[in-house]
Amino acid sequence: MTTATVNFSETDDGLFTPEEIRQLMRLEYDRARRYRYPASLLLVAVDRLESLQDLYGWESKEEILQAVIKALRATTRDSDFLGCMHDGRILTVFPHTDEKAITSIATRLLGICRALDFRTDGRALRATVSIGAAILVEDSELEFEHFVEIAEEAVTFALASGGDRFVRREAADDVIDRLRDEIDAEADRLVQDRIRIQEAAERETSAPEIASPLTPPILGTRPHSGDAADSELAKAIAAVFRDGSADPFALEADILAIAEEHVRREREAAVSAALAEHGKQVDLLERRVRKLKGLLDETGAELSRIATLKGLDSGIASIYRTVQGLSPDEDRLQEKREMLTLIFEANLDLQKKKRRS
Amino acid sequence: MTDEENKDHGVLYLGIDLGTSRTSVSASNGVRETVASYVGYPKDVVAQKLLKRDVLFGADAVKHRLSLNFYRPLQHGVLKASSKEDDYEGNLRAARDLIAEAIRMAQPRKDELVYAVIGAPAQAQINNKEAIIDAARETVDSVMLCSEPFAVAYGLDWLDDVLVIDIGAGTVDLCRMHGTMPEDTDQITLTTAGDFVDEEFGKLVAAAHPEAQFTVQMIRGIKERFASVADEMERAVAELPVKGKPTEFDLTDPLREACRKIVPPIVEGLGELVSTFDPEFQSRLKNRVLLAGGGSMIKGLDNAIQQEMHRTLGEGKVVRIEEPIYGGANGALKIAHDMPEEYWEQLK
């Protein structure tokens, strides 16, 4: 069975083709239902895979996928089925695996993937995965296709929620609530950070002139290379000694003036550098807030979608199981029937006119 | 409905009263809901983000109307979309969405057949009817239209020698029932309805208090709260802004006067229907007058019409139905229930 190895990369991964894996899984699924043993299905997707490919090329994407497949192999048994779906999602069926066991497997897989180390163009990349699970419960009447849909829904939700997480379909509500709280908290925290940094920057910009220019700058270390400035300072002092007045008081005044000018420049440069740094931080935080906002919007849309899906089978049942019609015991049965026939005929006529037009 | 074959868990009947100011639905699952016939779409992305919805209905739409492309898709009891004037496409879309919302409010289940009867204005044009059917067919399995006043009478089982007065916002429909389906000659549609009262009330307020600032919505709100034709009525005291400052006005007299203006045309119409009826049954007809529709909630209106009938027609007895808001929808629901299965099947 390991000879069927067609994959998205066309390399020999030992994965089943989508058709084969579906066929095998359907058989396994039917068997599990028939003999009433637990089975679970995992759908694993690498977070932001398309973006990774756009940014770092096809090779990087492929490298990451292979590493994830390897990690998945390390966490599965020989009796488990691994296959790939289109768009790089990996589908796995775990016979005799209940909710507790599948949670453990998924958690382990998440940890392994987090620890994976990729380097592209000298930069370290962090690749994470989103995992959706569907768990076959006893007496389930779900068809296999529906079972896969549940896992797809879970992994889509995990991806939309920011990735790097495991979502069981049954626990979707809790996850939604928790994610919403987490995103809200993170957004609040970032907003607070931004306010704090902006306030600090404003304080520094509006800080009163320091009484003496000799007072050291309040911000950090010297921002630019001290060598050139020091050398310039030394030359200036040397020139004063060489060409300046013989009067020691005048000499002192000249040197102080030079030092004063030097410190002033240093201080201005330090303040500018600190402001630039703060500006960068603010930009970064703003980007993060925007990103989280986008995520929040996506999550909101997903919530609406799930709510809509949930609503599919809800609604209030009618009191009638079958079409009714006039009761034979109805008062003035014939009169009413004629009236209803006239209404029907008028509507039929309307429908015909509409079709003709 | 694509999964019709899976609909084997029941039949949901809907009766819908599609009105100019209010759309009501009664369903065989016990749901009865009503929504003001207003539809709004966010004007731009900012409004959409703020409102968090693509479309708003009823009171919600009225509340946020400044941020919305605001529609009242029915006018004078018919779809505005019937005329090429105004925003044809916009009104048509709003009407479709309103009907879909009415059906959604009934909370139908996916696994049930949904059969709907919609009470359409008595003299709606054919293109109006087609537009209503098109809108409904998107969400139900089969749909029929019937005349609104007929639905009211059918729902109450008053089918013989009855005059129905259905007062809506756009029209007053008068219908003569005589044991068969009413024909065109049995129905009269007047435009002196709720909107007419609003307009007259506005004119009277503007004449009496030229300094007061108001909109039609404000005038309508005051009318809905205090409307009465009685000599002794609750004082209609309301706040209207004067140069930006909320100021209290007593609008009792203008309101009463505006409300009373609908009585003479109604009685005139009733007189026409009575005078063209079999003389032997005219007296019975005059003494079986049903008052329905949202406009019938004007306090004392039944007595005022009755008195005017006595004055001009010599006699009359007017009965206000118990549920003016749901009278049309309940009747439409009963028609849907009684309709034979083969008729529904043929209209699918």
Side-chain angles (χ1 to χ4, degrees), chain B residues 149-322:
Chain B
F150 171 76
V152 172
Y154 192 91
L156 297 170
D157 230 358
W158 281 38
L159 300 172
D160 271 336
D161 306 329
V162 180
L163 284 170
V164 181
I165 308 169
D166 183 7
I167 307 177
T171 58
V172 176
D173 288 318
L174 308 178
C175 181
R176 182 174 61 199
M177 299 287 298
H178 45 89
T180 61
M181 272 298 283
E183 297 170 359
D184 283 350
T185 50
D186 294 316
Q187 301 183 70
I188 292 175
T189 297
L190 309 169
T191 53
T192 48
D195 289 351
F196 167 79
V197 174
D198 297 341
E199 200 177 313
E200 292 299 311
F201 182 32
K203 283 181 194 168
L204 292 168
V205 172
H209 307 286
E211 73 281 17
Q213 295 173 296
F214 56 85
T215 63
V216 175
Q217 301 291 346
M218 294 160 79
I219 283 290
R220 190 170 294 139
I222 297 166
K223 179 197 77 175
E224 285 177 359
R225 184 169 168 203
F226 296 106
S228 173
V229 291
D231 290 332
E232 296 297 324
M233 62 181 274
E234 184 187 353
R235 307 306 296 171
V237 179
E239 278 191 351
L240 296 174
V242 176
K243 292 180 180 172
K245 182 186 174 190
T247 309
E248 226 171 55
F249 291 96
D250 185 345
L251 306 175
T252 311
D253 293 336
L255 181 56
R256 185 193 297 116
E257 193 180 335
C259 290
R260 281 180 174 175
K261 285 191 176 186
I262 64 168
V263 177
I266 289 174
V267 176
E268 198 179 315
L270 292 179
E272 203 177 314
L273 291 175
V274 169
S275 64
T276 52
F277 199 56
D278 186 329
E280 202 178 330
F281 296 97
Q282 283 184 8
S283 178
R284 179 172 156 83
L285 194 64
K286 283 186 280 187
N287 285 293
R288 286 163 61 85
V289 178
L290 269 180
L291 184 58
S296 69
M297 291 192 292
I298 296 175
K299 294 182 193 76
L301 187 61
D302 47 352
N303 284 334
I305 292 172
Q306 198 165 291
Q307 280 172 16
E308 185 69 8
M309 285 181 76
H310 277 273
R311 198 179 66 78
T312 59
L313 302 173
E315 61 182 324
K317 184 166 172 49
V318 180
V319 176
R320 187 201 308 260
I321 69 168
E322 280 183 18

Side-chain angles (χ1 to χ4, degrees), chain A residues 165-181:
Chain A
R165 66 196 66 226
F166 165 55
V167 174
R168 284 191 315 270
R169 182 60 184 88
E170 291 79 357
D173 285 344
D174 295 340
V175 174
I176 289 167
D177 292 341
R178 187 170 53 76
L179 283 175
R180 195 183 351 224
D181 291 346

Side-chain angles (χ1 to χ4, degrees), chain B residues 40-51:
Chain B
Y41 304 94
K43 278 182 179 168
D44 49 35
V45 179
V46 177
Q48 193 171 20
K49 286 274 180 194
L50 185 74
L51 299 168

